[in-house]
DNA sequence: CTTTACCACCTGTCTAGACAGGCTGGATTT
DNA sequence: AAATCCAGCCTGTCTAGACAGGTGGTAAAG
């Protein structure tokens, strides 16, 4: 299972990460890849397409595919990558302090700004957490999770990883998430939890996670210390 | 030319924008699209794949494709969308004030933070601009453009649109751009040009635009009034 | 009345082959 | 020596068909 093209893409990414191909090197041509992996050319092309939109390679008509970016490791700003797993994978010293875990209705703001058709007031579990990275309180996370999708959340789960719970234990398939980044003055709670002084600013990411059946089920806001916030992205023209 | 699947994707996007399909509606099935547009199913699938990674539809195995997002209009933060064109298309009142246009060597910071292999000191044209949106000075833009790729830039061009000049007049193909968003205290120049007081913050986007042959040629930093900054994105899981 | 089996329709993946068009280097011509 | 042509390699696009697997409704079996 998992598809041949997935396997080829992973293998190529792996070989790039391990220095078999460096930035500026050409990958084997599509026909060579097709022969080597014993697949059709279209299948090899799908693997290259995946690397292309991950920003790892650039294809040039008439020439081939060139490696343009080594592996990058940035703090994931979106909740679409499990924060907890990422930190563990990269050996970053982090702690997770749950300061709130209670039932609450879904507030209209700030989520209606992302999806104006949203109906507030639905029953949710509210999880409030502080992420402490390298001993420094860096992020305040507010999560509202629909009780109709996830009935209960234990303190252990909130402390560990919500995403593991959703996907591994509940079998939910998280599919996509529109998100937004803004900059706001730190409120009293930010100041207290992150140890900021008055007049400080925080970088705020707001997102709504959707399941594969398009149900919006998790409404999140992360408020980052401005001096520790760095968001990286890769844009392709048209 | 331009490809059948491009045409189908554009047509479907157009039909969604014009209300023929609303959020929550199912699109015709792949076989129906293939029949309707007189193409093979794989070609219809390519069109749907394009809409999928633009975040317009969600595909569900065994069911079909559902519309998940109406047209979105957000200020483009990346230089990969022509700022000038966007503003014009959306009828936003804007002005463009060129406060600097001169030769300058490429500075190491902040661009080495995005690409550590970069060699600073190369001959560039430096363009400094203030974007005035709805009568309010909102963004300070700093652009360093390699003279080896773009020998000269006139004040008219800087005032109008650099991207039109690069693509239409010079025939350059802009391909991709890694970018980064951070939050910084406003410096003296920010304060002066944007009318901010001391202790204010700005949202900073830094990017390096590359041509299709992977040449890095434009190094940009945009410094946004924090209260007017809003970045929107769409993330898919895995 | 409930469960099960089946079937029609859907998306996901893969194939082998075709043609168009970009790129490069070497051979041929000027 | 310079310009031209061309063959061979490359990516981009498209096709018709195949099989796997998810979904939902209907009809048969319990």
């Amino acid at each position: 299972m998992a598809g041949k093209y997935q396997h080829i893409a992973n293998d190529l990414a792996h070989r790039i990460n391990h220095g078999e191909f460096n930035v500026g090197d050409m990958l084997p041509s599509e026909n060579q890849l097709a022969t080597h992996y014993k697949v059709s050319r279209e299948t090899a092309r799908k693997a290259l397409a995946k690397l292309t939109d991950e920003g790892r390679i650039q294809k040039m008509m008439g020439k081939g595919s060139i490696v343009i970016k080594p592996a990058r490791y940035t703090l994931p700003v979106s909740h679409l990558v499990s924060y907890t797993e990422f930190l563990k994978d990269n050996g970053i010293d982090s702690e997770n302090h749950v300061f709130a875990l209670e039932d609450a209705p879904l507030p209209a703001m700030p989520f209606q700004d992302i999806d104006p058709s949203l109906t507030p007031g639905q029953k949710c579990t509210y999880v409030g957490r502080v992420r402490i990275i390298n001993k420094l309180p860096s992020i305040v996370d507010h999560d509202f999770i629909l009780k109709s999708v996830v009935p209960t959340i234990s303190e252990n789960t909130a402390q560990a990883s919500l995403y593991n719970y959703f996907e591994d234990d509940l079998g939910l398939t998280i599919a996509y998430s529109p998100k937004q980044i803004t900059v706001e003055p730190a409120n009293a709670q930010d100041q207290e939890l992150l140890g900021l002084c008055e007049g400080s600013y925080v970088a705020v990411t707001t997102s709504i996670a959707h399941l594969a059946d398009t149900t919006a089920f998790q409404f999140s806001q992360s408020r980052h210390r401005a001096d520790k916030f760095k968001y990286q992205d890769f844009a392709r023209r048209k």
Side-chain angles (χ1 to χ4, degrees), chain A residues 92-96 130-139 193-194 225 228:
Chain A
I92 296 174
D93 175 41
S94 77
E95 232 178 293
N96 213 354
V130 180
R131 311 280 194 173
I132 301 167
I133 301 173
N134 295 327
K135 311 288 181 211
L136 182 71
S138 299
I139 308 173
L193 293 173
L194 299 179
R225 278 181 75 100
K228 292 296 170 187

Side-chain angles (χ1 to χ4, degrees), chain A residues 40-191:
Chain A
S40 70
R41 192 181 140 219
E42 281 288 359
T43 301
R45 278 178 63 75
K46 269 192 196 171
L48 294 179
K50 192 161 178 263
L51 296 180
T52 298
D53 75 40
E54 288 168 1
R56 303 294 305 263
I57 65 172
Q58 170 71 9
K59 304 195 71 177
M60 289 181 287
M61 195 193 273
K63 290 190 176 172
S65 302
I66 188 169
V67 178
I68 58 173
K69 206 185 65 178
R72 178 93 51 92
Y73 44 100
T74 329
L75 275 191
V77 161
S78 161
H79 276 252
L80 271 206
V81 177
S82 166
Y83 205 90
T84 316
E85 263 180 26
F86 175 85
L87 295 174
K88 192 166 291 178
D89 287 354
N90 289 275
I92 296 174
D93 175 41
S94 77
E95 232 178 293
N96 213 354
H97 175 234
V98 180
F99 66 82
L101 178 60
E102 62 201 39
D103 290 3
L106 178 63
M109 288 310 293
F111 303 109
Q112 244 170 11
D113 198 25
I114 293 185
D115 182 357
S117 70
L118 166 152
T119 57
Q122 296 171 78
K123 287 183 185 172
C124 288
T125 307
Y126 166 64
V127 182
R129 293 179 288 186
V130 180
R131 311 280 194 173
I132 301 167
I133 301 173
N134 295 327
K135 311 288 181 211
L136 182 71
S138 299
I139 308 173
V140 183
D141 263 14
H142 305 279
D143 282 274
F144 292 86
I145 298 125
L146 280 193
K147 288 187 90 75
S148 56
V149 178
V150 181
T152 64
I153 296 175
S154 73
E155 180 144 357
N156 267 351
T157 303
Q159 175 99 36
S161 167
L162 287 180
Y163 267 39
N164 282 358
Y165 179 54
F166 296 160
E167 296 193 317
D168 301 345
D169 299 344
L170 302 182
L172 300 176
T173 305
I174 301 159
Y176 62 91
S177 165
K179 64 184 169 184
Q180 178 174 292
I181 300 175
T182 55
V183 178
E184 298 179 14
N187 60 32
Q189 188 188 41
D190 297 332
Q191 290 169 29

